[in-house]
Amino acid sequence: VQLQASGGGLVQPGGALRLSCTATGSIFSINVMGWYRQAPGKQRELVATITSRLIPNYADSVKGRFTVSRDNTKKTMYLQMNSLKPEDTAVYYCNAAISEAYYKDYEGYWGQGTLVTVSS
């Protein structure tokens, strides 16, 4: 099982980016998926999560600016980031709880990270 994150880049303050995270491999079921970020010199923090029933949850710092969504048929999660601020600069990681078979428990997997830089 692998998670592949993409969509990062350089954007000006006030701009927008859309991140994607796709799960591949032997997958029976995906439970909660989430986005985390880690800025230089800081700990990794939660950005947003979304359940298999598409119920989202956001960190206070991104509420009203970021939108998390997912397409269960494509095993893909998205993060639409609007009104970006310099303090949103970080490496963004995706995470998912995945079961490889009906008789196996969910395990947590991480993507490789994608860099988002907000700067003029």
Side-chain angles (χ1 to χ4, degrees):
V1 175
Q2 288 188 330
L3 292 178
Q4 180 70 42
S6 61
L10 173 63
V11 63
Q12 293 186 341
L17 279 176
R18 189 192 195 208
L19 306 183
S20 299
C21 173
T22 299
T24 60
S26 178
I27 297 170
F28 172 72
S29 175
I30 303 176
N31 198 344
V32 177
M33 301 182 79
W35 290 100
Y36 294 74
R37 68 186 181 187
Q38 187 167 18
K42 295 188 176 182
Q43 289 188 332
R44 190 173 297 188
E45 63 176 4
L46 172 70
V47 176
T49 61
I50 185 165
T51 70
S52 57
R53 296 188 178 184
L54 309 183
I55 299 173
N57 182 58
Y58 299 96
D60 288 342
S61 59
V62 306
K63 280 182 181 176
R65 300 188 298 122
F66 291 10
T67 302
V68 62
S69 61
R70 68 191 268 183
D71 184 334
N72 289 329
T73 63
K74 296 181 179 180
K75 299 183 178 65
T76 298
M77 172 181 60
Y78 306 95
L79 186 67
Q80 178 65 44
M81 305 185 293
N82 298 329
S83 303
L84 282 161
K85 305 175 181 180
E87 51 263 43
D88 294 317
T89 295
V91 177
Y92 284 70
Y93 298 89
C94 58
N95 174 273
I98 297 173
S99 172
E100 296 183 47
Y102 73 93
Y103 55 86
K104 289 189 175 182
D105 290 335
Y106 288 97
E107 293 185 23
Y109 292 86
W110 289 94
Q112 85 286 4
T114 184
L115 177 62
V116 172
T117 303
V118 185
S119 175
S120 55

